[in-house]
Every structure is written in C-alpha cells, then in structure tokens.
Amino acid sequence: VLSVAHQLPWTPEFSALIDCVRSGTPGRIQSIHAACFGKVFDQGSHLIDLIARLLPDDEPIWIEACGSDALRDLAPLCNLPAGFKADTSHPGLLWTAAHIRMRSGVDVRLDCGLLDACPLPDLGPWLQKRINVIGESGVAEAHCASHCKYAGKKEATFERKSDLAAYEGALVGFYHALAQQLDGQPQTQTADAVREINTVTMMCAINKAAQVGVPINWALERDSSPDCGEATKAVQAIKPGISVIIPMEDHRGMGIDAIRSWTSGQRC
C-alpha cells in the first residue's frame, strides 16, 4: 500500500472540515483557499492532499502560478522569523501562489511560502496551515492546531477546537488507520496510490507553471507521470508481502537514496 504520511486528516480540525464538506453542509463548493508558510514541496503537499480529499470526485483542468526564489526581494514584504534560513532540502520556490481550475468549476487557490499572512501569530509560522471552503450555503474553515468552524445556516453552525497536542498526535492516528486498512478494516480516510501520485504531480505542475509563466494542462502533466499499475502488479506477485514504512519528517536530502535502498538495495 503506497501511503505518504499526510497526517492532517487525523487532526480534529481537518477531519471535521472533511466531514463537513462531504456531508454537503456548505452546499455546492464554489472555491477553496489553502495557505501555509512552507514551500509547495514542504507543507504544500499536505494541503494538496487535503484538497484532493475534499474534492474526491473532481480533477483539475489547468494550473497557473507565479512565485519567487529571491530572498532579497521577498524579505521586505514579510516578517522573517528570527534565525530564518532558506530551505535547501526541499525543491521549489520560497514563495508560490497557484490558481487551479477544477473540472466542476471550483476555483482553488494555494499560497505557499514566505509571504504567508500568518493569521494566528501565537502559533508561529510553521503551524499556519489552513483551508477555507466557500459553498453556496456557508463557509467552512480549518486552521492547524487551532480550530474548525462553519458559518452558514444557523442549525448547522459549529466550532470545534483543537490544539498542538492533537496535531502532534495525528501521525499516530495515521499509522493506526494504515494498519487497520492493511488488516481489512474499513476506513474513512484510506491510503490511495493514485491520490499520492497525483499530489506529487500537482506539486511539479505548480512549480513548472510558476517558472514558465503560462497555464499548465493538467491532463498532459498527469499522463506523463509514471504509471504505478505495472509496479503494483509486480509487488502483489511477491509472496509474502512486506510493508515498509519509512517516516521522513525531514529527509535531509537523502530521501531518494533511502527509498532506492529499501526498494532495490535490500537482499534479506
């Protein structure tokens, strides 16, 4: 089972947001805005994964983006955290703003990087991951380690509080859910190889769009990514099957080498 440790769906705030949207409470979704302090290839992947879970039956048509990697130009526009150093372990620009048009007509905006608004400064810059969902009937909002709330029809309005401990415990929830899924137990948030690969493809498409300055055709980008079908069949043919979980909260530039070692270098 291919599953990247996108643990945010196991936090109270983002699980409540997913439940709210899937229940149809906000009505037909019109737009989604997601933002974070980290790069697209750092924290942005978690937000892209969440957007895919919020719109499981939808897909992009095109992606456009702009961005900058010039710290000298960006610094006057933001309050850099004390001791800030440019992230060299993750690819991508220091600031990226992307616009994604979904086939359903939903407009998705994704802002990642130094120019983040930091709406809850007491949490610090790295806990500013958040999503706003605007529907015909109301607005739902979830903010990492803080809250999820919905404003709309009075009888459906709610607010659910969260905190740092719940955020830190989400990774354990992710592992428990993965183990249960492997054991055949039904899960609401399941591992999905297609979603994981599409997340990486989306990150690459956003980065490409920001560099070339023209919209990117999603279908062409998706179809040019590696097909996991044959690889999945090859893995399933091996008996017994062994699942290897490699948690990489920070791969320190060795992520590809580590994966290659586990998938092709082991001879036990």
Side-chain angles (χ1 to χ4, degrees):
V1 175
L2 173 62
S3 187
V4 178
H6 291 128
Q7 80 274 33
L8 293 185
W10 284 267
T11 62
E13 59 273 24
F14 288 109
S15 64
L17 178 68
I18 293 172
D19 290 342
C20 177
V21 171
R22 289 185 176 178
S23 69
T25 301
R28 187 178 69 86
I29 304 303
Q30 297 176 329
S31 64
I32 295 176
H33 177 213
C36 62
F37 179 78
K39 291 181 177 182
V40 170
F41 283 84
D42 183 358
Q43 295 185 326
S45 66
H46 294 270
L47 298 180
I48 295 171
D49 172 76
L50 281 168
I51 292 167
R53 294 172 189 265
L54 291 170
L55 303 171
D57 300 319
D58 210 347
E59 66 173 354
I61 300 177
W62 50 259
I63 305 103
E64 64 175 354
C66 62
S68 174
D69 210 30
L71 183 58
R72 180 176 298 179
D73 296 335
L74 295 172
L77 302 175
C78 60
N79 295 318
L80 288 179
F84 175 80
K85 293 183 180 179
D87 178 6
T88 58
S89 61
H90 296 94
L93 304 175
L94 291 173
W95 166 253
T96 304
H99 176 203
I100 305 163
R101 171 63 53 79
M102 305 299 289
R103 190 163 299 281
S104 66
V106 176
D107 279 316
V108 176
R109 178 183 170 187
L110 177 66
D111 294 328
C112 301
L114 292 186
L115 302 188
D116 184 51
C118 199
L120 297 180
D122 290 346
L123 289 174
W126 294 102
L127 289 176
Q128 299 300 318
K129 297 184 288 290
R130 60 198 186 277
I131 294 183
N132 291 336
V133 179
I134 299 176
E136 289 181 326
S137 301
V139 179
E141 170 191 299
H143 194 297
C144 180
S146 177
H147 65 271
C148 175
K149 57 185 178 181
Y150 172 75
K153 294 180 179 179
K154 187 174 181 180
E155 62 272 14
T157 299
F158 73 88
E159 181 171 2
R160 182 173 183 180
K161 295 291 186 179
S162 185
D163 54 28
L164 181 59
Y167 170 72
E168 292 176 338
L171 192 59
V172 175
F174 163 82
Y175 286 131
H176 278 306
L178 182 60
Q180 291 172 342
Q181 183 179 343
L182 291 172
D183 199 35
Q185 300 180 39
Q187 295 293 311
T188 303
Q189 302 297 331
T190 59
D192 185 338
V194 173
R195 185 182 63 239
E196 304 290 16
I197 291 175
N198 283 345
T199 295
V200 177
T201 305
M202 178 61 71
M203 290 190 291
C204 294
I206 290 172
N207 195 53
K208 179 179 178 180
Q211 292 177 338
V212 301
V214 296
I216 299 296
N217 185 314
W218 167 252
L220 295 179
E221 292 297 309
R222 178 199 59 203
D223 294 344
S224 65
S225 64
D227 180 11
C228 65
E230 292 303 319
T232 301
K233 293 177 183 178
V235 171
Q236 291 174 342
I238 301 173
K239 301 297 182 180
I242 299 175
S243 295
V244 178
I245 298 175
I246 310 176
M248 291 189 184
E249 295 180 359
D250 185 350
H251 61 77
R252 297 178 175 84
M254 298 182 290
I256 293 177
D257 289 340
I259 295 295
R260 183 178 292 117
S261 172
W262 273 106
T263 56
S264 61
Q266 299 299 319
R267 292 294 179 268
C268 58

PDB file of all heavy atoms in Angstrom, residues 117-153:
ATOM      1  N   ALA A 117       0.195  35.017   5.309  1.00  0.00           N
ATOM      2  CA  ALA A 117      -0.420  36.070   6.123  1.00  0.00           C
ATOM      3  C   ALA A 117      -0.241  35.853   7.624  1.00  0.00           C
ATOM      4  O   ALA A 117      -0.345  36.794   8.406  1.00  0.00           O
ATOM      5  CB  ALA A 117      -1.913  36.162   5.795  1.00  0.00           C
ATOM      6  N   CYS A 118      -0.018  34.607   8.056  1.00  0.00           N
ATOM      7  CA  CYS A 118       0.177  34.283   9.479  1.00  0.00           C
ATOM      8  C   CYS A 118      -0.964  34.822  10.342  1.00  0.00           C
ATOM      9  O   CYS A 118      -0.761  35.655  11.232  1.00  0.00           O
ATOM     10  CB  CYS A 118       1.516  34.841   9.962  1.00  0.00           C
ATOM     11  SG  CYS A 118       2.129  34.089  11.489  1.00  0.00           S
ATOM     12  N   PRO A 119      -2.213  34.352  10.124  1.00  0.00           N
ATOM     13  CA  PRO A 119      -3.372  34.905  10.839  1.00  0.00           C
ATOM     14  C   PRO A 119      -3.391  34.607  12.332  1.00  0.00           C
ATOM     15  O   PRO A 119      -4.048  35.312  13.085  1.00  0.00           O
ATOM     16  CB  PRO A 119      -4.558  34.253  10.127  1.00  0.00           C
ATOM     17  CG  PRO A 119      -4.008  33.006   9.538  1.00  0.00           C
ATOM     18  CD  PRO A 119      -2.597  33.311   9.164  1.00  0.00           C
ATOM     19  N   LEU A 120      -2.707  33.539  12.782  1.00  0.00           N
ATOM     20  CA  LEU A 120      -2.648  33.220  14.210  1.00  0.00           C
ATOM     21  C   LEU A 120      -1.183  33.237  14.649  1.00  0.00           C
ATOM     22  O   LEU A 120      -0.557  32.189  14.824  1.00  0.00           O
ATOM     23  CB  LEU A 120      -3.271  31.845  14.481  1.00  0.00           C
ATOM     24  CG  LEU A 120      -4.760  31.704  14.165  1.00  0.00           C
ATOM     25  CD1 LEU A 120      -5.248  30.303  14.465  1.00  0.00           C
ATOM     26  CD2 LEU A 120      -5.578  32.728  14.957  1.00  0.00           C
ATOM     27  N   PRO A 121      -0.605  34.421  14.831  1.00  0.00           N
ATOM     28  CA  PRO A 121       0.837  34.536  15.088  1.00  0.00           C
ATOM     29  C   PRO A 121       1.320  33.837  16.344  1.00  0.00           C
ATOM     30  O   PRO A 121       2.488  33.462  16.431  1.00  0.00           O
ATOM     31  CB  PRO A 121       1.058  36.056  15.176  1.00  0.00           C
ATOM     32  CG  PRO A 121      -0.291  36.634  15.454  1.00  0.00           C
ATOM     33  CD  PRO A 121      -1.265  35.740  14.777  1.00  0.00           C
ATOM     34  N   ASP A 122       0.434  33.640  17.331  1.00  0.00           N
ATOM     35  CA  ASP A 122       0.857  32.968  18.562  1.00  0.00           C
ATOM     36  C   ASP A 122       1.297  31.525  18.314  1.00  0.00           C
ATOM     37  O   ASP A 122       2.038  30.953  19.113  1.00  0.00           O
ATOM     38  CB  ASP A 122      -0.274  32.984  19.589  1.00  0.00           C
ATOM     39  CG  ASP A 122      -0.523  34.374  20.147  1.00  0.00           C
ATOM     40  OD1 ASP A 122       0.337  35.260  19.946  1.00  0.00           O
ATOM     41  OD2 ASP A 122      -1.586  34.592  20.763  1.00  0.00           O
ATOM     42  N   LEU A 123       0.832  30.937  17.207  1.00  0.00           N
ATOM     43  CA  LEU A 123       1.212  29.558  16.889  1.00  0.00           C
ATOM     44  C   LEU A 123       2.566  29.481  16.183  1.00  0.00           C
ATOM     45  O   LEU A 123       3.102  28.396  16.018  1.00  0.00           O
ATOM     46  CB  LEU A 123       0.142  28.910  16.001  1.00  0.00           C
ATOM     47  CG  LEU A 123      -1.194  28.585  16.669  1.00  0.00           C
ATOM     48  CD1 LEU A 123      -2.180  28.079  15.624  1.00  0.00           C
ATOM     49  CD2 LEU A 123      -1.013  27.559  17.775  1.00  0.00           C
ATOM     50  N   GLY A 124       3.094  30.610  15.747  1.00  0.00           N
ATOM     51  CA  GLY A 124       4.343  30.587  14.996  1.00  0.00           C
ATOM     52  C   GLY A 124       4.082  30.297  13.521  1.00  0.00           C
ATOM     53  O   GLY A 124       3.005  29.816  13.146  1.00  0.00           O
ATOM     54  N   PRO A 125       5.071  30.572  12.673  1.00  0.00           N
ATOM     55  CA  PRO A 125       4.836  30.469  11.225  1.00  0.00           C
ATOM     56  C   PRO A 125       4.556  29.066  10.728  1.00  0.00           C
ATOM     57  O   PRO A 125       3.767  28.887   9.796  1.00  0.00           O
ATOM     58  CB  PRO A 125       6.133  31.023  10.619  1.00  0.00           C
ATOM     59  CG  PRO A 125       7.159  30.855  11.696  1.00  0.00           C
ATOM     60  CD  PRO A 125       6.429  31.047  12.989  1.00  0.00           C
ATOM     61  N   TRP A 126       5.142  28.036  11.337  1.00  0.00           N
ATOM     62  CA  TRP A 126       5.048  26.694  10.769  1.00  0.00           C
ATOM     63  C   TRP A 126       3.730  25.994  11.074  1.00  0.00           C
ATOM     64  O   TRP A 126       3.450  24.918  10.547  1.00  0.00           O
ATOM     65  CB  TRP A 126       6.218  25.837  11.238  1.00  0.00           C
ATOM     66  CG  TRP A 126       7.514  26.354  10.700  1.00  0.00           C
ATOM     67  CD1 TRP A 126       8.456  27.094  11.357  1.00  0.00           C
ATOM     68  CD2 TRP A 126       8.000  26.205   9.364  1.00  0.00           C
ATOM     69  NE1 TRP A 126       9.487  27.410  10.516  1.00  0.00           N
ATOM     70  CE2 TRP A 126       9.238  26.882   9.286  1.00  0.00           C
ATOM     71  CE3 TRP A 126       7.497  25.581   8.215  1.00  0.00           C
ATOM     72  CZ2 TRP A 126       9.981  26.942   8.115  1.00  0.00           C
ATOM     73  CZ3 TRP A 126       8.237  25.641   7.051  1.00  0.00           C
ATOM     74  CH2 TRP A 126       9.474  26.306   7.009  1.00  0.00           C
ATOM     75  N   LEU A 127       2.904  26.579  11.929  1.00  0.00           N
ATOM     76  CA  LEU A 127       1.592  25.998  12.231  1.00  0.00           C
ATOM     77  C   LEU A 127       0.457  26.816  11.612  1.00  0.00           C
ATOM     78  O   LEU A 127      -0.678  26.768  12.082  1.00  0.00           O
ATOM     79  CB  LEU A 127       1.383  25.892  13.743  1.00  0.00           C
ATOM     80  CG  LEU A 127       2.223  24.826  14.455  1.00  0.00           C
ATOM     81  CD1 LEU A 127       2.003  24.891  15.960  1.00  0.00           C
ATOM     82  CD2 LEU A 127       1.887  23.436  13.934  1.00  0.00           C
ATOM     83  N   GLN A 128       0.751  27.525  10.526  1.00  0.00           N
ATOM     84  CA  GLN A 128      -0.266  28.350   9.880  1.00  0.00           C
ATOM     85  C   GLN A 128      -1.009  27.618   8.759  1.00  0.00           C
ATOM     86  O   GLN A 128      -1.723  28.241   7.971  1.00  0.00           O
ATOM     87  CB  GLN A 128       0.369  29.626   9.324  1.00  0.00           C
ATOM     88  CG  GLN A 128       1.021  30.503  10.373  1.00  0.00           C
ATOM     89  CD  GLN A 128       0.057  30.990  11.444  1.00  0.00           C
ATOM     90  OE1 GLN A 128      -1.067  31.366  11.145  1.00  0.00           O
ATOM     91  NE2 GLN A 128       0.499  30.981  12.696  1.00  0.00           N
ATOM     92  N   LYS A 129      -0.860  26.319   8.663  1.00  0.00           N
ATOM     93  CA  LYS A 129      -1.553  25.551   7.618  1.00  0.00           C
ATOM     94  C   LYS A 129      -3.065  25.670   7.819  1.00  0.00           C
ATOM     95  O   LYS A 129      -3.576  25.363   8.896  1.00  0.00           O
ATOM     96  CB  LYS A 129      -1.118  24.083   7.667  1.00  0.00           C
ATOM     97  CG  LYS A 129       0.359  23.882   7.376  1.00  0.00           C
ATOM     98  CD  LYS A 129       0.727  22.404   7.343  1.00  0.00           C
ATOM     99  CE  LYS A 129       0.711  21.777   8.715  1.00  0.00           C
ATOM    100  NZ  LYS A 129       1.829  22.262   9.566  1.00  0.00           N
ATOM    101  N   ARG A 130      -3.774  26.093   6.754  1.00  0.00           N
ATOM    102  CA  ARG A 130      -5.196  26.355   6.905  1.00  0.00           C
ATOM    103  C   ARG A 130      -5.910  26.246   5.555  1.00  0.00           C
ATOM    104  O   ARG A 130      -5.285  26.386   4.495  1.00  0.00           O
ATOM    105  CB  ARG A 130      -5.421  27.750   7.487  1.00  0.00           C
ATOM    106  CG  ARG A 130      -4.852  28.863   6.615  1.00  0.00           C
ATOM    107  CD  ARG A 130      -4.706  30.164   7.399  1.00  0.00           C
ATOM    108  NE  ARG A 130      -4.292  31.262   6.547  1.00  0.00           N
ATOM    109  CZ  ARG A 130      -3.029  31.507   6.205  1.00  0.00           C
ATOM    110  NH1 ARG A 130      -2.058  30.729   6.632  1.00  0.00           N
ATOM    111  NH2 ARG A 130      -2.732  32.544   5.430  1.00  0.00           N
ATOM    112  N   ILE A 131      -7.210  25.993   5.620  1.00  0.00           N
ATOM    113  CA  ILE A 131      -8.039  25.889   4.422  1.00  0.00           C
ATOM    114  C   ILE A 131      -9.376  26.555   4.683  1.00  0.00           C
ATOM    115  O   ILE A 131     -10.004  26.335   5.727  1.00  0.00           O
ATOM    116  CB  ILE A 131      -8.257  24.409   4.019  1.00  0.00           C
ATOM    117  CG1 ILE A 131      -6.937  23.766   3.577  1.00  0.00           C
ATOM    118  CG2 ILE A 131      -9.283  24.307   2.898  1.00  0.00           C
ATOM    119  CD1 ILE A 131      -7.093  22.338   3.100  1.00  0.00           C
ATOM    120  N   ASN A 132      -9.839  27.362   3.727  1.00  0.00           N
ATOM    121  CA  ASN A 132     -11.182  27.938   3.736  1.00  0.00           C
ATOM    122  C   ASN A 132     -11.965  27.354   2.570  1.00  0.00           C
ATOM    123  O   ASN A 132     -11.460  27.328   1.439  1.00  0.00           O
ATOM    124  CB  ASN A 132     -11.137  29.460   3.594  1.00  0.00           C
ATOM    125  CG  ASN A 132     -10.554  30.144   4.817  1.00  0.00           C
ATOM    126  OD1 ASN A 132     -10.591  29.590   5.906  1.00  0.00           O
ATOM    127  ND2 ASN A 132     -10.014  31.330   4.640  1.00  0.00           N
ATOM    128  N   VAL A 133     -13.166  26.893   2.839  1.00  0.00           N
ATOM    129  CA  VAL A 133     -14.037  26.336   1.809  1.00  0.00           C
ATOM    130  C   VAL A 133     -15.300  27.184   1.736  1.00  0.00           C
ATOM    131  O   VAL A 133     -16.016  27.338   2.739  1.00  0.00           O
ATOM    132  CB  VAL A 133     -14.408  24.873   2.119  1.00  0.00           C
ATOM    133  CG1 VAL A 133     -15.347  24.332   1.042  1.00  0.00           C
ATOM    134  CG2 VAL A 133     -13.155  24.008   2.221  1.00  0.00           C
ATOM    135  N   ILE A 134     -15.564  27.753   0.569  1.00  0.00           N
ATOM    136  CA  ILE A 134     -16.747  28.590   0.373  1.00  0.00           C
ATOM    137  C   ILE A 134     -17.760  27.828  -0.461  1.00  0.00           C
ATOM    138  O   ILE A 134     -17.468  27.397  -1.585  1.00  0.00           O
ATOM    139  CB  ILE A 134     -16.384  29.907  -0.327  1.00  0.00           C
ATOM    140  CG1 ILE A 134     -15.381  30.696   0.533  1.00  0.00           C
ATOM    141  CG2 ILE A 134     -17.634  30.748  -0.585  1.00  0.00           C
ATOM    142  CD1 ILE A 134     -14.895  31.963  -0.124  1.00  0.00           C
ATOM    143  N   GLY A 135     -18.940  27.621   0.105  1.00  0.00           N
ATOM    144  CA  GLY A 135     -20.016  26.934  -0.595  1.00  0.00           C
ATOM    145  C   GLY A 135     -21.211  27.842  -0.785  1.00  0.00           C
ATOM    146  O   GLY A 135     -21.240  28.979  -0.292  1.00  0.00           O
ATOM    147  N   GLU A 136     -22.212  27.360  -1.474  1.00  0.00           N
ATOM    148  CA  GLU A 136     -23.417  28.158  -1.719  1.00  0.00           C
ATOM    149  C   GLU A 136     -24.185  28.457  -0.435  1.00  0.00           C
ATOM    150  O   GLU A 136     -24.871  29.471  -0.342  1.00  0.00           O
ATOM    151  CB  GLU A 136     -24.326  27.429  -2.703  1.00  0.00           C
ATOM    152  CG  GLU A 136     -23.794  27.382  -4.128  1.00  0.00           C
ATOM    153  CD  GLU A 136     -24.738  26.683  -5.074  1.00  0.00           C
ATOM    154  OE1 GLU A 136     -25.422  25.719  -4.639  1.00  0.00           O
ATOM    155  OE2 GLU A 136     -24.799  27.088  -6.240  1.00  0.00           O
ATOM    156  N   SER A 137     -24.042  27.573   0.557  1.00  0.00           N
ATOM    157  CA  SER A 137     -24.834  27.729   1.775  1.00  0.00           C
ATOM    158  C   SER A 137     -24.041  28.230   2.972  1.00  0.00           C
ATOM    159  O   SER A 137     -24.617  28.533   4.016  1.00  0.00           O
ATOM    160  CB  SER A 137     -25.491  26.391   2.150  1.00  0.00           C
ATOM    161  OG  SER A 137     -26.322  25.934   1.106  1.00  0.00           O
ATOM    162  N   GLY A 138     -22.711  28.276   2.860  1.00  0.00           N
ATOM    163  CA  GLY A 138     -21.918  28.717   4.001  1.00  0.00           C
ATOM    164  C   GLY A 138     -20.434  28.576   3.763  1.00  0.00           C
ATOM    165  O   GLY A 138     -19.988  28.182   2.678  1.00  0.00           O
ATOM    166  N   VAL A 139     -19.668  28.892   4.806  1.00  0.00           N
ATOM    167  CA  VAL A 139     -18.205  28.889   4.734  1.00  0.00           C
ATOM    168  C   VAL A 139     -17.653  28.018   5.849  1.00  0.00           C
ATOM    169  O   VAL A 139     -18.037  28.170   7.020  1.00  0.00           O
ATOM    170  CB  VAL A 139     -17.639  30.317   4.862  1.00  0.00           C
ATOM    171  CG1 VAL A 139     -16.118  30.291   4.816  1.00  0.00           C
ATOM    172  CG2 VAL A 139     -18.197  31.216   3.766  1.00  0.00           C
ATOM    173  N   ALA A 140     -16.743  27.119   5.496  1.00  0.00           N
ATOM    174  CA  ALA A 140     -16.068  26.272   6.474  1.00  0.00           C
ATOM    175  C   ALA A 140     -14.590  26.629   6.492  1.00  0.00           C
ATOM    176  O   ALA A 140     -13.990  26.893   5.450  1.00  0.00           O
ATOM    177  CB  ALA A 140     -16.255  24.801   6.130  1.00  0.00           C
ATOM    178  N   GLU A 141     -13.999  26.612   7.689  1.00  0.00           N
ATOM    179  CA  GLU A 141     -12.596  26.994   7.848  1.00  0.00           C
ATOM    180  C   GLU A 141     -11.924  26.077   8.850  1.00  0.00           C
ATOM    181  O   GLU A 141     -12.496  25.763   9.894  1.00  0.00           O
ATOM    182  CB  GLU A 141     -12.512  28.442   8.340  1.00  0.00           C
ATOM    183  CG  GLU A 141     -11.124  28.897   8.783  1.00  0.00           C
ATOM    184  CD  GLU A 141     -11.159  30.232   9.488  1.00  0.00           C
ATOM    185  OE1 GLU A 141     -11.580  31.208   8.840  1.00  0.00           O
ATOM    186  OE2 GLU A 141     -10.782  30.284  10.675  1.00  0.00           O
ATOM    187  N   ALA A 142     -10.717  25.625   8.519  1.00  0.00           N
ATOM    188  CA  ALA A 142      -9.933  24.825   9.456  1.00  0.00           C
ATOM    189  C   ALA A 142      -8.522  25.387   9.517  1.00  0.00           C
ATOM    190  O   ALA A 142      -7.930  25.704   8.479  1.00  0.00           O
ATOM    191  CB  ALA A 142      -9.897  23.362   9.032  1.00  0.00           C
ATOM    192  N   HIS A 143      -7.997  25.527  10.732  1.00  0.00           N
ATOM    193  CA  HIS A 143      -6.652  26.043  10.946  1.00  0.00           C
ATOM    194  C   HIS A 143      -5.899  25.063  11.835  1.00  0.00           C
ATOM    195  O   HIS A 143      -6.389  24.654  12.879  1.00  0.00           O
ATOM    196  CB  HIS A 143      -6.697  27.422  11.599  1.00  0.00           C
ATOM    197  CG  HIS A 143      -5.384  28.155  11.553  1.00  0.00           C
ATOM    198  ND1 HIS A 143      -4.253  27.686  12.181  1.00  0.00           N
ATOM    199  CD2 HIS A 143      -5.028  29.305  10.932  1.00  0.00           C
ATOM    200  CE1 HIS A 143      -3.253  28.531  11.967  1.00  0.00           C
ATOM    201  NE2 HIS A 143      -3.696  29.516  11.208  1.00  0.00           N
ATOM    202  N   CYS A 144      -4.703  24.692  11.394  1.00  0.00           N
ATOM    203  CA  CYS A 144      -3.886  23.705  12.091  1.00  0.00           C
ATOM    204  C   CYS A 144      -3.692  24.070  13.563  1.00  0.00           C
ATOM    205  O   CYS A 144      -3.411  25.226  13.892  1.00  0.00           O
ATOM    206  CB  CYS A 144      -2.528  23.612  11.382  1.00  0.00           C
ATOM    207  SG  CYS A 144      -1.399  22.427  12.107  1.00  0.00           S
ATOM    208  N   ALA A 145      -3.876  23.073  14.447  1.00  0.00           N
ATOM    209  CA  ALA A 145      -3.639  23.219  15.892  1.00  0.00           C
ATOM    210  C   ALA A 145      -4.494  24.313  16.524  1.00  0.00           C
ATOM    211  O   ALA A 145      -4.132  24.848  17.571  1.00  0.00           O
ATOM    212  CB  ALA A 145      -2.161  23.482  16.178  1.00  0.00           C
ATOM    213  N   SER A 146      -5.621  24.640  15.898  1.00  0.00           N
ATOM    214  CA  SER A 146      -6.454  25.709  16.447  1.00  0.00           C
ATOM    215  C   SER A 146      -7.943  25.359  16.427  1.00  0.00           C
ATOM    216  O   SER A 146      -8.560  25.210  17.480  1.00  0.00           O
ATOM    217  CB  SER A 146      -6.226  27.020  15.686  1.00  0.00           C
ATOM    218  OG  SER A 146      -7.089  28.028  16.165  1.00  0.00           O
ATOM    219  N   HIS A 147      -8.547  25.209  15.225  1.00  0.00           N
ATOM    220  CA  HIS A 147      -9.997  25.091  15.190  1.00  0.00           C
ATOM    221  C   HIS A 147     -10.499  24.665  13.816  1.00  0.00           C
ATOM    222  O   HIS A 147      -9.777  24.730  12.825  1.00  0.00           O
ATOM    223  CB  HIS A 147     -10.640  26.440  15.529  1.00  0.00           C
ATOM    224  CG  HIS A 147     -10.347  27.491  14.492  1.00  0.00           C
ATOM    225  ND1 HIS A 147      -9.239  28.307  14.551  1.00  0.00           N
ATOM    226  CD2 HIS A 147     -10.999  27.858  13.346  1.00  0.00           C
ATOM    227  CE1 HIS A 147      -9.224  29.124  13.507  1.00  0.00           C
ATOM    228  NE2 HIS A 147     -10.288  28.870  12.760  1.00  0.00           N
ATOM    229  N   CYS A 148     -11.748  24.267  13.805  1.00  0.00           N
ATOM    230  CA  CYS A 148     -12.544  24.138  12.584  1.00  0.00           C
ATOM    231  C   CYS A 148     -13.895  24.763  12.901  1.00  0.00           C
ATOM    232  O   CYS A 148     -14.467  24.500  13.962  1.00  0.00           O
ATOM    233  CB  CYS A 148     -12.732  22.678  12.166  1.00  0.00           C
ATOM    234  SG  CYS A 148     -13.839  22.471  10.738  1.00  0.00           S
ATOM    235  N   LYS A 149     -14.369  25.617  12.009  1.00  0.00           N
ATOM    236  CA  LYS A 149     -15.674  26.216  12.251  1.00  0.00           C
ATOM    237  C   LYS A 149     -16.425  26.382  10.941  1.00  0.00           C
ATOM    238  O   LYS A 149     -15.829  26.513   9.876  1.00  0.00           O
ATOM    239  CB  LYS A 149     -15.546  27.555  12.971  1.00  0.00           C
ATOM    240  CG  LYS A 149     -14.700  28.593  12.282  1.00  0.00           C
ATOM    241  CD  LYS A 149     -14.561  29.827  13.170  1.00  0.00           C
ATOM    242  CE  LYS A 149     -13.676  30.896  12.549  1.00  0.00           C
ATOM    243  NZ  LYS A 149     -13.533  32.071  13.428  1.00  0.00           N
ATOM    244  N   TYR A 150     -17.743  26.354  11.085  1.00  0.00           N
ATOM    245  CA  TYR A 150     -18.615  26.514   9.922  1.00  0.00           C
ATOM    246  C   TYR A 150     -19.632  27.590  10.219  1.00  0.00           C
ATOM    247  O   TYR A 150     -20.259  27.608  11.285  1.00  0.00           O
ATOM    248  CB  TYR A 150     -19.330  25.207   9.581  1.00  0.00           C
ATOM    249  CG  TYR A 150     -20.389  25.385   8.512  1.00  0.00           C
ATOM    250  CD1 TYR A 150     -20.026  25.548   7.180  1.00  0.00           C
ATOM    251  CD2 TYR A 150     -21.741  25.437   8.849  1.00  0.00           C
ATOM    252  CE1 TYR A 150     -20.997  25.750   6.201  1.00  0.00           C
ATOM    253  CE2 TYR A 150     -22.708  25.626   7.877  1.00  0.00           C
ATOM    254  CZ  TYR A 150     -22.331  25.789   6.558  1.00  0.00           C
ATOM    255  OH  TYR A 150     -23.273  25.998   5.588  1.00  0.00           O
ATOM    256  N   ALA A 151     -19.815  28.503   9.276  1.00  0.00           N
ATOM    257  CA  ALA A 151     -20.823  29.558   9.405  1.00  0.00           C
ATOM    258  C   ALA A 151     -21.748  29.490   8.198  1.00  0.00           C
ATOM    259  O   ALA A 151     -21.298  29.534   7.057  1.00  0.00           O
ATOM    260  CB  ALA A 151     -20.155  30.931   9.470  1.00  0.00           C
ATOM    261  N   GLY A 152     -23.010  29.343   8.464  1.00  0.00           N
ATOM    262  CA  GLY A 152     -23.992  29.245   7.394  1.00  0.00           C
ATOM    263  C   GLY A 152     -25.378  29.228   7.991  1.00  0.00           C
ATOM    264  O   GLY A 152     -25.706  30.074   8.829  1.00  0.00           O
ATOM    265  N   LYS A 153     -26.169  28.248   7.577  1.00  0.00           N
ATOM    266  CA  LYS A 153     -27.495  28.105   8.171  1.00  0.00           C
ATOM    267  C   LYS A 153     -27.350  27.866   9.675  1.00  0.00           C
ATOM    268  O   LYS A 153     -26.520  27.073  10.106  1.00  0.00           O
ATOM    269  CB  LYS A 153     -28.239  26.942   7.512  1.00  0.00           C
ATOM    270  CG  LYS A 153     -28.550  27.194   6.036  1.00  0.00           C
ATOM    271  CD  LYS A 153     -29.296  26.024   5.418  1.00  0.00           C
ATOM    272  CE  LYS A 153     -29.625  26.307   3.958  1.00  0.00           C
ATOM    273  NZ  LYS A 153     -30.337  25.179   3.325  1.00  0.00           N
TER     274      LYS A 153
END
